[in-house]
Amino acid sequence: ILGSHVICTDDSPVKVKDHSKENNIKTGRIWIYLGDSEHPFNLFDYTTGRGRDGPLKFLEGFNGYLQGDCFSGNLAVCAAIGTVLVACLAHARRYFVKAMLNDAVACNHALTTFQALYEIERTAKELKLNAPDLKSMRNEEAVPILKEFRKWIEQQYQEALPKSSFGKALFYCLNNWDELTQYVTDGSLSIDNNVSEREMKYVAMG
C-alpha cells in the first residue's frame, strides 16, 4: 500500500470492551487504507483514539498523495511526512445540503456548481480517459468553474452569519480550499473520498 501513488483513508469509531470505563466500554477507532490501482489492497487498522500517532506510524515512508478528510490529524500527518492531502468535495457539498433551510437560493447555487464539477468526472469516466487526459480536461473545464466558485464563496462569506449553517459551509470551503481543489492537479486523484467511506460500511455492519 505504501508503494501507491495515492492512498485513500477514512476512520470510524468502534465500541471496545474496557472494564475500567463506565459501562465497561470505551471508544476506539478503525482506519481504512486503500492502495491505488497498481496496489489494490485494502487494510483496516485499529487505534485507541483518533490521534495522529496511528496514521503517522502506518504511513511512515509514504510520499504520494493522501486522500481523506480535512481534519487536523490528516493535516498534521501530511505535514510531518511531507505528503499532500487531497480533500473530498462530497464533504464540502454536504455542508450546503445541511444549510438548505438557512439559505435555499444560495445553497442551490452551490449545489449546481458541485453538480457541474461532478458532470465533468462522469463524462471523463464514460470516455475512459487516462490520467493525463483527465488532468487536461479538468484544467480546461473544472478549473474555470472552481475559480468562479471561489469568488462567489468569498462574496457570500462577507455577508453570511459566521455561526449559521450556511456560514459554516462557506468557511469550510475557504479554510480547506487548497486541499479541496488539489484533485485537478493530477488525473490519478479523485474528486471525492467516497471509495474509502464506502469501506466503513463493513465496520458498521460488524
Side-chain angles (χ1 to χ4, degrees):
I1 293 176
L2 293 180
S4 300
H5 182 57
V6 184
I7 292 179
C8 295
T9 186
D10 196 20
D11 65 281
S12 179
V14 287
K15 293 181 179 179
V16 183
K17 286 184 178 180
D18 187 337
H19 296 294
S20 68
K21 302 293 184 181
E22 185 178 356
N23 299 323
N24 297 323
I25 291 176
K26 68 178 181 181
T27 301
R29 215 82 192 180
I30 290 286
W31 306 76
I32 179 68
Y33 298 99
L34 288 85
D36 57 22
S37 59
E38 295 183 4
H39 307 81
F41 304 100
N42 297 358
L43 185 144
F44 289 94
D45 189 33
Y46 170 77
T47 61
T48 56
R50 207 190 185 194
R52 66 179 181 176
D53 291 346
L56 193 59
K57 181 179 179 181
F58 182 88
L59 294 166
E60 184 178 0
F62 175 62
N63 57 9
Y65 290 98
L66 183 67
Q67 187 135 24
D69 298 347
C70 284
F71 91 101
S72 58
N74 279 341
L75 291 166
V77 167
C78 287
I81 66 178
T83 188
V84 178
L85 179 63
V86 184
C88 173
L89 257 70
H91 267 78
R93 182 184 181 279
R94 286 176 205 144
Y95 277 91
F96 288 101
V97 172
K98 292 179 181 178
M100 281 293 289
L101 293 177
N102 186 205
D103 193 328
V105 174
C107 287
N108 273 322
H109 176 82
L111 294 176
T112 299
T113 302
F114 283 110
Q115 184 178 3
L117 293 170
Y118 269 88
E119 185 59 34
I120 295 170
E121 301 302 306
R122 282 190 288 270
T123 301
K125 187 174 182 180
E126 291 174 358
L127 295 173
K128 298 180 180 179
L129 298 185
N130 58 29
D133 289 341
L134 176 54
K135 179 183 177 181
S136 297
M137 185 176 185
R138 286 170 171 171
N139 283 334
E140 183 177 343
E141 300 184 23
V143 170
I145 294 174
L146 288 167
K147 287 182 178 179
E148 289 300 315
F149 192 35
R150 172 65 186 256
K151 292 179 182 178
W152 179 83
I153 290 173
E154 291 174 341
Q155 293 170 353
Q156 294 294 316
Y157 191 65
Q158 292 177 4
E159 301 178 4
L161 295 174
K163 293 185 178 181
S164 67
S165 54
F166 180 56
K168 290 178 180 178
L170 296 169
F171 177 76
Y172 181 85
C173 290
L174 288 175
N175 194 48
N176 302 295
W177 187 258
D178 290 344
E179 291 80 15
L180 288 168
T181 58
Q182 186 67 43
Y183 82 98
V184 300
T185 66
D186 190 318
S188 61
L189 301 175
S190 176
I191 192 173
D192 57 39
N193 192 39
N194 289 348
V195 62
S196 60
E197 291 185 6
R198 284 194 293 268
E199 292 300 309
M200 288 294 102
K201 69 182 180 182
Y202 297 115
V203 178
M205 293 167 62

